[in-house]
Amino acid sequence: MQERILFLLEKRRYAQLKEELLDINPYDLAVLMADIPIEHLPILFRILPKELAAETFVEMDHDMQEHLIKSFSDTELKAMLNELYVDDTVDIIEEMPANVVKRILKYTDSETREMINEILNYPKDSAGSIMTTEFVDLKKDMTVADAFERIRKDGVDKETIYTLYVTTKSRKLIGIVSAKDLMLSEQNVVIEDIMETNIVCVDTSEDKEVVANLFDKYDFLAIPVVDKEERLVGIVTIDDAIDVLQDETTEDITKMGAVMPNEDTYFKTSVWQHAKNRIPWLLFLMLSAIFTGTIITQYEAAFSSIPLLVSFIPQLMDTGGNCGSQASVLIIRGLALDEIKTSDFLKAVFKEIRIALLVGVVLAVVNGVRIIIMYNSDPSVNAYALAIVLGVTLMCTIILAKFLGCALPILAKKCRLDPALMASPLITTIVDACSILIYFNFAVAFMNYLIK
């Protein structure tokens, strides 16, 4: 398709090109345009009808949007902005340089500018920052016929008309009516008789991730946002909720991988920025390994007596780290999905301890059998005693790792920190030091039995 577009542009067959582009979804069109040389974007964009052009513009990355805005005439920019929803305009403004923002605001009408400023004044991670102020509201004494007339009059410029909100004169939210309810009711039925009064709504200051999770919980298409006086000030729609969940998931994954979060995509982020995002955690983890080295140094006497002990250190550290990672990943995900609450701390810890006992017994037995088979003929070491020492150490390490992997994310959530910070890199570092300490204490305690 890319070659086809470039061919038609080169031959100046704009009417034919427009006809072919009309059948493409706005998101797919934005993806397609990303592969077109940037100098062709203004021409290609001007070919599209206003509504399709605006929908495609919203799906583009910020570099493409900035390039197009700079290439627009004042008339074109004003026409395009008139087709955008307020929340989409806010998203664009937040990513543009100051000179571009100034030009955008210059060509928005005073009412839209007021709504944009209202949204921008809310905290970045709040429901108010992702809501749109464009919705259809009704009054409880309206009839269904009145409601349809209101939708036909005001609904064209609103982001959604599938859910309508019943408010008082002071804008207090008192009910919700779906488009389905209206279509299935008689024209003379009063809105008060069919509206749903059991309303799920959020405050403007509510965390946007909490709001996004409500969509999954209740299968909503939109959620009303109210202020402290319960006045309806906006709605959050499903498309914005999906964007929030995607951003939050990406942020959690990067934190769990010991990388500082970054807003740009992988290829748009410079090599220097990638390194900058990774170095702090790597430095912390590297320097924290000093404790492990110090512990090992203190037990040099045990090494000299039984050098074979050193060969089991990687096994213990890897097993402990892996067990801690398994627990932390499941707990962090459970916290993110609200399946696990901070009040479930003891319940979750008790479950992980039981899992650790089962896992520890299996790994200890299998490893013990391996040690006996491999080292029973070694004249310098008692294979059975070594199997017991390693088995007990494995059990203790796995229980500790599972406990930390479960407890630390929940405690972080309790302290209002991101549970993803307590992911595998940090837990592995802690477990490494503890497993070595446990291992050599047991080895020293059973030294007389280990040597034949």
Side-chain angles (χ1 to χ4, degrees):
M1 189 64 186
Q2 178 185 354
E3 292 79 8
R4 175 69 175 166
I5 289 175
L6 291 174
F7 172 77
L8 293 175
L9 281 171
E10 185 181 345
K11 298 298 182 181
R12 299 177 182 271
R13 298 180 185 175
Y14 300 138
Q16 185 179 349
L17 179 56
K18 179 180 179 180
E19 194 67 29
E20 295 189 16
L21 294 177
L22 288 176
D23 295 328
I24 303 177
N25 179 276
Y27 175 81
D28 294 330
L29 199 50
V31 172
L32 188 61
M33 286 185 174
D35 295 326
I36 301 294
I38 200 163
E39 63 269 17
H40 293 307
L41 279 182
I43 298 174
L44 196 58
F45 195 81
R46 290 182 178 108
I47 291 172
L48 301 175
K50 285 194 301 182
E51 185 176 345
L52 178 58
E55 291 174 355
T56 304
F57 185 84
V58 170
E59 302 295 344
M60 291 178 174
D61 66 41
H62 305 307
D63 290 340
M64 293 171 64
Q65 289 174 341
E66 184 179 350
H67 178 79
L68 283 171
I69 290 172
K70 289 179 177 178
S71 68
F72 287 157
S73 65
D74 294 344
T75 304
E76 288 174 327
L77 179 59
K78 186 175 182 179
M80 196 272 295
L81 290 172
N82 287 337
E83 294 293 326
L84 295 180
Y85 295 117
V86 173
D87 58 331
D88 291 327
T89 306
V90 171
D91 290 340
I92 293 168
I93 286 174
E94 288 179 328
E95 301 297 334
M96 292 295 128
N99 62 320
V100 176
V101 171
K102 185 177 180 180
R103 187 163 178 243
I104 291 174
L105 292 176
K106 180 181 178 181
Y107 292 103
T108 53
D109 57 70
S110 57
E111 183 181 353
T112 302
R113 197 178 305 121
E114 185 178 340
M115 289 189 288
I116 290 172
N117 290 330
E118 180 184 350
I119 295 174
L120 288 174
N121 284 331
Y122 290 108
K124 185 178 180 181
D125 292 328
S126 68
S129 69
I130 61 170
M131 72 180 184
T132 178
T133 55
E134 297 172 307
F135 54 86
V136 177
D137 62 325
L138 306 173
K139 304 303 176 187
K140 66 178 183 179
D141 56 352
M142 283 183 172
T143 63
V144 170
D146 295 333
F148 277 122
E149 184 62 31
R150 182 67 172 270
I151 293 170
R152 280 190 286 269
K153 180 182 177 183
D154 299 334
V156 176
D157 298 324
K158 308 305 180 185
E159 190 158 349
T160 178
I161 57 171
Y162 300 113
T163 306
L164 303 106
Y165 304 92
V166 185
T167 61
T168 63
K169 289 183 179 179
S170 60
R171 293 193 292 120
K172 184 176 181 179
L173 180 64
I174 59 173
I176 291 177
V177 178
S178 69
K180 179 181 178 181
D181 293 333
L182 293 177
M183 287 186 285
L184 296 178
S185 300
E186 297 294 334
Q187 294 289 302
N188 60 347
V189 172
V190 179
I191 295 299
E192 186 177 14
D193 296 334
I194 60 172
M195 70 181 187
E196 174 64 54
T197 56
N198 183 22
I199 309 168
V200 176
C201 59
V202 296
D203 187 82
T204 52
S205 60
E206 184 64 85
D207 187 278
K208 64 182 182 181
E209 187 175 2
V210 174
V211 178
N213 286 326
L214 290 177
F215 282 85
D216 177 55
K217 187 175 181 180
Y218 294 107
D219 295 327
F220 286 151
L221 293 176
I223 291 179
V225 182
V226 298
D227 60 15
K228 299 298 182 183
E229 286 76 38
E230 296 186 354
R231 293 175 300 185
L232 183 64
V233 293
I235 61 172
V236 176
T237 52
I238 184 68
D239 57 324
D240 294 313
I242 291 173
D243 289 340
V244 170
L245 291 175
Q246 185 179 35
D247 291 342
E248 293 296 333
T249 302
T250 301
E251 183 178 327
D252 286 347
I253 289 172
T254 55
K255 287 180 179 178
M256 291 171 69
V259 179
M260 299 294 288
N262 188 59
E263 293 185 359
D264 281 332
T265 61
Y266 178 83
F267 286 111
K268 285 187 178 294
T269 303
S270 66
V271 172
W272 164 246
Q273 188 61 45
H274 272 302
K276 187 179 176 182
N277 291 340
R278 302 179 194 189
I279 287 172
W281 263 110
L282 292 174
L283 280 173
F284 170 76
L285 295 172
M286 180 185 72
L287 295 175
S288 64
I290 294 172
F291 296 106
T292 306
T294 303
I295 295 170
I296 293 175
T297 303
Q298 291 178 352
Y299 290 92
E300 288 184 12
F303 294 158
S304 59
S305 301
I306 310 176
L308 183 62
L309 291 175
V310 181
S311 66
F312 295 103
I313 293 176
Q315 180 191 67
L316 289 171
M317 293 172 66
D318 289 346
T319 302
N322 292 336
C323 289
S325 298
Q326 287 179 335
S328 66
V329 167
L330 294 175
I331 296 297
I332 290 169
R333 191 57 183 158
L335 289 168
L337 297 176
D338 209 26
E339 294 173 355
I340 300 173
K341 297 179 173 57
T342 54
S343 58
D344 296 324
F345 179 81
L346 293 177
K347 184 179 177 182
V349 167
F350 180 55
K351 186 163 190 172
E352 283 299 325
I353 294 297
R354 286 180 290 161
I355 294 170
L357 289 171
L358 290 174
V359 171
V361 167
V362 172
L363 295 185
V365 169
V366 172
N367 194 52
V369 171
R370 178 187 73 86
I371 290 172
I372 291 170
I373 293 172
M374 291 181 65
Y375 301 106
N376 195 36
S377 58
D378 191 327
S380 64
V381 67
N382 185 333
Y384 291 94
L386 184 61
I388 292 172
V389 169
L390 262 296
V392 174
T393 303
L394 269 175
M395 287 288 294
C396 293
T397 299
I398 290 170
I399 291 172
L400 176 65
K402 294 289 187 186
F403 171 76
L404 291 174
C406 173
L408 290 181
I410 298 178
L411 291 174
K413 182 82 170 181
K414 185 72 173 177
C415 297
R416 299 185 180 278
L417 297 173
D418 191 336
L421 291 171
M422 304 299 171
S424 52
L426 180 61
I427 291 172
T428 298
T429 302
I430 297 172
V431 172
D432 284 351
C434 293
S435 62
I436 295 302
L437 193 61
I438 294 169
Y439 176 40
F440 284 111
N441 271 292
F442 276 121
V444 170
F446 288 88
M447 185 63 70
N448 295 332
Y449 299 97
L450 290 172
I451 301 173
K452 280 187 177 180

